[in-house]
Amino acid sequence: MQLQRVLGPLIARRTATFTASLALVRAMHIQSIPMWEGSSNNYAYLVVDDKTKDAVIIDPANPPEVAPVLKQQIDSGKINLTSIINTHHHWDHAGGNSKILEQFKGLPVIGGKQCEAVTKTPKNGETFKIGEGITVKALYTPCHTQDSICWYMEDGSEKVVFTGDTLFIGGCGRFFEGTPAEMDTALNKTLAALPDDTKVYPGHEYTKTNVKFLTTVLQTEPVMKLQSFAENNKETQGKFTIGDEKTYNVFMRLDDPTVQKATGKTDPVDVMGKLREMKNSM
């Protein structure tokens, strides 16, 4: 009994340490694949469950730039490609699906109902797994398109969200198929509800141009820090979190008096609409 009292806490501590170590070892791997650099500056993303090597490719819109990366990873035994995932139906996100499927046959295509060659559209809030470690949740964010889906992924303590053209670093997408109210819901209810340490992976590298607009509305320290980072770094995806966005992204600061003054509006939906109008006119 005496020995159990002495050894019990020691064993518990070592077990906890071992479990924590496993959690650190187990993590999703994300590889960004830039496409159309210098023009639309898109990103495709290869997400891999490190333990099983199961992987998905997100928005592989330009097969000549994406397929060689996939082939090299598959041929070297680094990944087992299990599906294509799309954030929305626009050609520069889902337009490469059929060509990818010609080379990598039989893959399911997971996305909105209008996505090219789609085979499965999860319900809002539905979850599924990549391999054993990564949990994926579909978050409906209609506005840029009505089939826009942001993909929230968790692997242990690692949290990321792939936002397509809904949320950019320091900005948001145009309201092609939606309203200011819908974008307010997408950004400030759906995405804002994610944990603040969730890293943001958008569909385009637009941060430098977004910062130019931000500085016309806000000249705060978070905006200046983002500006400095964007000026000194070619890529910003995965470097900022949902919590960061709340500090400088004016589209997520609709109650900020300075933002309201710049727009001449106070109702959040009206502020959202005016901000988009101002950004469009730049």
Side-chain angles (χ1 to χ4, degrees):
M1 198 64 159
Q2 180 77 16
L3 185 61
Q4 186 178 6
R5 282 200 299 270
V6 173
L7 291 181
L10 178 62
I11 293 170
R13 283 197 300 272
R14 288 188 174 178
T15 301
T17 302
F18 178 68
T19 303
S21 297
L22 283 178
L24 289 172
V25 171
R26 283 287 308 278
M28 74 182 94
H29 176 75
I30 300 169
Q31 179 179 350
S32 303
I33 306 173
M35 302 177 292
W36 296 299
E37 285 188 90
S39 55
S40 58
N41 295 309
N42 286 65
Y43 287 120
Y45 295 106
L46 181 62
V47 183
V48 185
D49 174 54
D50 282 348
K51 184 177 181 181
T52 63
K53 299 182 182 178
D54 284 355
V56 301
I57 184 68
I58 300 175
D59 288 353
N62 192 19
E65 292 184 282
V66 178
V69 176
L70 298 179
K71 186 177 186 305
Q72 189 277 327
Q73 295 271 18
I74 292 168
D75 290 350
S76 64
K78 292 181 179 178
I79 67 168
N80 169 39
L81 190 61
T82 61
S83 62
I84 296 169
I85 294 179
N86 289 138
T87 58
H88 61 292
H89 72 264
H90 282 165
W91 70 270
D92 63 327
H93 293 265
N97 291 349
S98 294
K99 284 290 185 184
I100 291 289
L101 290 169
E102 287 178 11
Q103 187 168 350
F104 308 99
K105 300 184 186 304
L107 295 175
V109 177
I110 304 170
K113 293 179 180 179
Q114 291 180 265
C115 292
E116 183 177 285
V118 66
T119 59
K120 179 176 175 57
T121 300
K123 295 177 182 178
N124 188 29
E126 185 175 337
T127 62
F128 59 92
K129 301 282 277 191
I130 302 170
E132 295 178 6
I134 304 173
T135 300
V136 185
K137 179 183 282 189
L139 301 174
Y140 282 22
T141 51
C143 182
H144 180 71
T145 65
Q146 284 300 303
D147 70 344
S148 290
I149 301 175
C150 293
W151 301 97
Y152 174 65
M153 301 190 186
E154 286 184 304
D155 188 357
S157 62
E158 186 79 4
K159 295 177 281 289
V160 302
V161 62
F162 297 90
T163 56
D165 287 3
T166 296
L167 173 65
F168 300 124
I169 306 300
C172 71
R174 291 176 182 258
F175 308 167
F176 285 130
E177 298 180 9
T179 64
E182 286 180 314
M183 187 58 81
D184 180 31
T185 296
L187 298 184
N188 299 310
K189 295 181 177 63
T190 303
L191 294 179
L194 295 176
D196 277 349
D197 60 347
T198 303
K199 295 176 183 175
V200 177
Y201 287 84
H204 296 263
E205 184 54 64
Y206 285 165
T207 308
K208 285 183 181 177
T209 54
N210 287 339
V211 167
K212 288 180 182 178
F213 175 66
L214 293 184
T215 57
T216 68
V217 180
L218 283 178
Q219 291 83 41
T220 58
E221 184 179 355
V223 171
M224 297 303 111
K225 285 184 176 179
L226 179 63
Q227 182 179 42
S228 176
F229 188 92
E231 288 173 352
N232 291 286
N233 294 272
K234 184 179 179 182
E235 298 182 0
T236 59
Q237 78 285 13
K239 304 297 184 185
F240 297 92
T241 65
I242 290 293
D244 294 327
E245 291 299 310
K246 293 175 183 177
T247 68
Y248 54 65
N249 191 329
V250 294
F251 296 96
M252 297 184 77
R253 296 185 61 81
L254 305 182
D255 293 328
D256 186 318
T258 305
V259 176
Q260 292 180 348
K261 183 179 179 181
T263 61
K265 309 288 184 182
T266 54
D267 179 82
V269 172
D270 292 339
V271 176
M272 175 68 80
K274 185 62 178 179
L275 285 171
R276 187 67 257 177
E277 182 184 314
M278 292 163 61
K279 178 70 164 62
N280 291 349
S281 67
M282 281 190 69

